[in-house]
Amino acid sequence: MNGHIRTAWWILCSMGMMLLSCHKESPSTSGNIPSANHQAVGSSAHDLLSDTPYDSLQIEIAYMPGYQPDNQAQQQLQSFLQTYLHKSGGIHITVHQIPDAGKSTYSLQDVMQLESSYRTQFTTGNQIAVFILYVNGQYTDPQVLGITYLNTSMCIFAKTIHDNSGGIGQASRSAVEATVLEHEFGHMLGLVNTGSPMQTPHEDASHPHHCNNSNCLMYYQTETSDLFGFLIGSQVPSLDNNCVHDLEANGGK
Ligand SMILES: [Zn+2]
Ligand SMILES: [Zn+2]
């Protein structure tokens, strides 16, 4: 782990109808999460990418009623991870429902509290664990679809995704959800310049921790018909070569 990036920042990403944005803020502490799973975003990039010391990855998805994760999006996420991660012991996804927390808006503090209450899988032995929370409301910034806030934790604002996809003239639900999942995972894997050192400079100077290639999964896009076009075609954007090289150099494949 890269203890030096212990500085308190976290990433927040959104892919609203035509908006992809991320910001940095300071996390508050959370209750019951062990220290191995309570580190800065990107600090477990190497551990997630390489086969040692963890040869398997356990992904736990907890969702609120009515917002069960899309099966195709889960498969796409798994395939994305199998492409870049050395996990000879496998990449496993488990899904379970949690109670409706009864809010229409969830703050970072709410999200961290829910994780503390409902997360059951933690990094132990030769297995690294990732937690993905699906909530039935919006983020405090209503255009945000997903946030990655710790080394192995992300939250998906599933109601916002449902409200903006899958309808007539809207992007495919599966594609939007898969794109958000993969983009957020990209941050956990250290992209861009946050745990997986850049092999070639490609960080977007105006949008830290994002790629400067407008065709890349890790691009920060605002009001772009390119992104909308990708999603209409049900094609999740791929990582470009610069991002792939960063993952390779940090233990990925
Ligand atoms: Zn982002
Ligand atoms: Zn890139």
Side-chain angles (χ1 to χ4, degrees):
M1 270 182 221
N2 297 326
H4 64 277
I5 14 182
R6 197 74 71 82
T7 46
W9 66 270
W10 60 287
I11 297 174
L12 171 147
C13 296
S14 81
M15 290 184 53
M17 289 287 287
M18 282 170 273
L19 178 73
L20 173 64
S21 70
C22 292
H23 310 280
K24 292 192 288 182
E25 292 188 24
S26 301
S28 54
T29 53
S30 76
N32 306 324
I33 309 301
S35 65
N37 297 100
H38 198 266
Q39 304 291 328
V41 174
S43 64
S44 290
H46 177 80
D47 290 346
L48 287 163
L49 288 162
S50 73
D51 210 35
T52 54
Y54 307 111
D55 69 7
S56 69
L57 168 62
Q58 176 66 53
I59 299 172
E60 174 187 10
I61 305 180
Y63 70 94
M64 290 183 186
Y67 294 93
Q68 186 157 8
D70 182 88
N71 282 328
Q72 206 178 317
Q74 284 180 62
Q75 283 164 20
Q76 283 182 265
L77 174 65
Q78 193 154 26
S79 152
F80 170 81
L81 295 173
Q82 273 158 358
T83 302
Y84 300 110
L85 274 53
H86 288 287
K87 292 296 170 212
S88 57
I91 296 169
H92 313 285
I93 301 180
T94 57
V95 178
H96 63 98
Q97 186 174 295
I98 61 172
D100 178 353
K103 287 172 174 279
S104 56
T105 301
Y106 292 87
S107 66
L108 175 61
Q109 195 176 3
D110 295 331
V111 167
M112 294 182 100
Q113 210 158 28
L114 287 163
E115 176 180 17
S116 189
S117 299
Y118 297 114
R119 182 170 182 168
T120 66
Q121 304 293 316
F122 302 99
T123 299
T124 178
N126 61 354
Q127 179 170 277
I128 189 166
V130 163
F131 181 71
I132 303 177
L133 176 66
Y134 275 57
V135 296
N136 61 352
Q138 64 182 25
Y139 190 53
T140 39
D141 176 345
Q143 288 180 308
V144 166
L145 297 192
I147 58 173
T148 300
Y149 53 95
L150 289 173
N151 58 327
T152 62
S153 308
M154 76 169 80
C155 180
I156 302 296
F157 296 92
K159 181 176 188 302
T160 312
I161 291 180
H162 280 224
D163 289 350
N164 291 287
S165 65
I168 294 168
Q170 292 181 325
S172 140
R173 165 99 42 87
S174 302
V176 173
E177 198 170 312
T179 301
V180 178
L181 286 167
E182 291 182 18
H183 180 99
E184 298 304 328
F185 233 107
H187 289 309
M188 278 192 208
L189 299 177
L191 299 173
V192 172
N193 196 23
T194 177
S196 288
M198 290 189 291
Q199 304 306 295
T200 303
H202 66 105
E203 185 176 18
D204 185 337
S206 330
H207 307 107
H209 310 306
H210 290 90
C211 183
N212 61 8
N213 180 346
S214 61
N215 293 317
C216 180
L217 175 68
M218 298 312 292
Y219 189 63
Y220 169 107
Q221 279 181 303
T222 303
E223 186 89 43
T224 163
S225 54
D226 283 350
L227 174 62
F228 204 47
F230 273 128
L231 299 179
I232 286 287
S234 295
Q235 287 296 314
V236 175
S238 304
L239 291 175
D240 69 351
N241 287 336
N242 283 334
C243 283
V244 172
H245 291 158
D246 294 351
L247 298 184
E248 286 171 348
N250 198 22
K253 64 184 182 186

